[in-house]
Amino acid sequence: MVSIAEFDNLLADHLSPFIALSNQIGDLVQQQSLLVNEAFHVQRSFIEMASKSAKPSTDGQFVAMLKPISDLITQIQDIREKNRKHEQFNHLSAVSEGIAALGWIAVSPTPAPYVKEMTDSAQFYTNKILVAFKDKPEQAHHPNWARSWITFLQSLQQYIRKNHTTGLVWASIAPAGAAPPPPPMGGFNLGPAPSTGDKAMDDARAALFASINKGTDITKGLRKVAADEMTHKNPSLRASGVVPDKEMKQLSVSGPVNKGPQAKGPVKLELDGKKWMVENFTGRHDLLIDDTQMTQSVNVYRCDDCVLIIKGKINSITVDKCKKFSIVFDSIVSVVEFINSQSIQAQAMEVVPTITVDCVDGIELYLNPKSLNAEIVSSKSSAVNISVPDAKGDYVEHPIPEQLKTTWNGKCFQTLPVPKN
């Protein structure tokens, strides 16, 4: 079958080089890649099974059919969640974000754009890898690894666009009384699949994806995640008007529904090697880091309704999954990053070369005269405002456009921001 042969070519031409580079890096990257390799070969078997079977018509059947893939996705993403302090965290995150592309088999009518979203999420981390290793030719396998992963995901999108344009191609629906479809490859038998309309299939898909974006709780069963817990691949600002199978990015199919809030881990403010870890604080307005060095970085994770002051010159700051959080810092060597957060206030007292804002709902940046040359990169974010001092020293707020307008100029498309009124 053509689609199976082309999927085999996809794995041989683009996944195999990625696996080889992962083996060269070793450690957790290699461990994660072995699961990636297994997951896509399981999906290959699934595609072959679908080409010989009718669509399942109940959510239980469809969820059970996807469980082997779902379990592998969970294992791959757990490696990232359980190793947040690992030196190759960006590698683990790039794979963890991109592996959700496996879910295209449950997306219709546009699975290829779904994979594009997952690729963009992965690329956020591969770009960090490219920057980190750009001046290290002796470690060229790291940027090569990053490019290889994105190339594979892009090739997967092209494969889907060609062979499964409007969704996974199944065999014709079996007539009433016909023999049941063969069991999915992998050894589990779901029994006969009754033949009904596509609505049941849509219901199954919606039920399957109801457990996306659970972070470290992914193995605890289905739950509806609050907006402030969603990752940058599914921020709350995109929740309105998006169908569930485009919002959801991970697969988990076991356990009862739990609608309670996700518990935080223990509070932490400590130096781990060259990283200051600030985690899980709530309602603390007196957090202070003042014993700093230029080679150190600060990672802030899941801090709500807090104020953090950082003294001295440090390398970088990352603020992830925080809410109603304020931070004041002196001088930065490389970058300050805000990810997956809400209601942030940040003030730069001295120099900061780059500020990135990714999937943040509401952020106020205050720059002083020494930081006016900062490069600010924002994506998938809303209510981004930058305040700078005027001639009198008073801060003046400048909103950043959230909308883009694209027009055809006769030769190519031209995209410009739409200013706020």
Side-chain angles (χ1 to χ4, degrees), residues 32 35 74 87 145 189 244 249 256 268 296 367 372:
Q32 202 179 41
L35 293 172
T74 298
E87 62 179 353
W145 178 94
N189 192 335
K249 308 295 191 291
K268 182 184 300 185
Q296 295 173 348
L367 304 181
L372 291 180

Side-chain angles (χ1 to χ4, degrees), residues 115-385:
V115 175
K116 174 64 164 60
E117 291 182 19
M118 302 305 100
T119 305
D120 291 344
S121 297
Q123 199 159 20
F124 175 81
Y125 290 98
T126 58
N127 285 343
K128 291 185 177 184
I129 297 170
L130 295 178
V131 171
F133 290 92
K134 67 178 181 180
D135 296 324
K136 300 177 181 179
E138 71 282 2
Q139 300 186 57
H141 53 288
H142 287 276
N144 290 340
W145 178 94
R147 296 186 190 98
S148 177
W149 179 233
I150 296 303
T151 298
F152 170 69
L153 293 175
Q154 291 171 340
S155 300
L156 174 64
Q157 182 186 1
Q158 294 169 5
Y159 163 82
I160 294 167
R161 184 180 291 114
K162 179 180 178 182
N163 296 280
H164 305 275
T165 308
T166 59
L168 178 65
V169 176
W170 295 78
S172 299
I173 297 177
M185 298 185 71
F188 52 96
N189 192 335
L190 302 173
S195 56
T196 63
D198 286 344
K199 183 179 183 302
M201 184 68 174
D202 294 338
D203 292 341
R205 184 173 60 249
L208 173 69
F209 282 108
S211 61
I212 299 309
N213 291 317
K214 295 192 294 181
T216 56
D217 279 348
I218 192 168
T219 61
K220 295 182 180 179
L222 301 175
R223 63 187 288 271
K224 184 176 181 181
V225 181
D228 63 312
E229 296 177 356
M230 295 182 180
T231 68
H232 70 273
K233 55 184 170 36
N234 184 27
S236 59
L237 59 95
R238 291 167 50 203
S240 176
V242 183
V243 295
D245 57 6
K246 287 187 179 179
E247 285 183 81
M248 306 310 184
K249 308 295 191 291
Q250 299 172 358
L251 303 176
S252 180
V253 298
S254 61
V257 175
N258 174 18
K259 296 184 178 180
Q262 184 173 355
K264 287 187 175 183
V267 297
K268 182 184 300 185
L269 198 165
E270 64 184 29
L271 181 62
D272 184 358
K274 295 183 179 180
K275 293 183 180 180
W276 283 96
M277 311 303 296
V278 185
E279 299 179 358
N280 303 314
F281 285 98
T282 300
R284 287 287 300 272
H285 298 169
D286 58 348
L287 299 175
L288 173 66
I289 299 176
D290 56 2
D291 184 15
T292 58
Q293 298 179 11
M294 190 171 63
T295 58
Q296 295 173 348
S297 62
V298 176
N299 290 353
V300 185
Y301 181 69
R302 284 196 179 280
C303 290
D304 299 339
D305 188 23
C306 293
V307 177
L308 171 64
I309 297 176
I310 303 172
K311 298 290 187 179
K313 188 174 185 178
I314 61 174
N315 184 61
S316 64
I317 299 173
T318 299
V319 176
D320 186 10
K321 292 185 180 178
C322 295
K323 185 177 181 181
K324 295 182 180 179
F325 180 79
S326 299
I327 182 170
V328 181
F329 52 89
D330 288 344
S331 190
I332 304 297
V333 175
S334 57
V335 63
V336 178
E337 301 173 298
F338 299 95
I339 312 169
N340 313 321
S341 299
Q342 292 183 340
S343 301
I344 301 297
Q345 291 184 324
Q347 183 169 6
M349 303 303 294
E350 297 182 18
V351 176
V352 52
T354 305
I355 300 174
T356 65
V357 181
D358 188 67
C359 294
V360 174
D361 185 8
I363 180 168
E364 297 279 347
L365 300 174
Y366 295 89
L367 304 181
N368 84 335
K370 294 182 180 179
S371 56
L372 291 180
N373 291 328
E375 182 180 81
I376 300 169
V377 180
S378 62
S379 61
K380 302 179 186 177
S381 298
S382 63
V384 179
N385 296 287

Side-chain angles (χ1 to χ4, degrees), residues 237 378-384 399-406 415-421:
L237 59 95
S378 62
S379 61
K380 302 179 186 177
S381 298
S382 63
V384 179
I400 300 302
E402 299 171 20
Q403 292 182 318
L404 301 175
K405 184 170 82 171
T406 300
T415 301
L416 296 173
V418 178
K420 293 185 177 181
N421 294 329

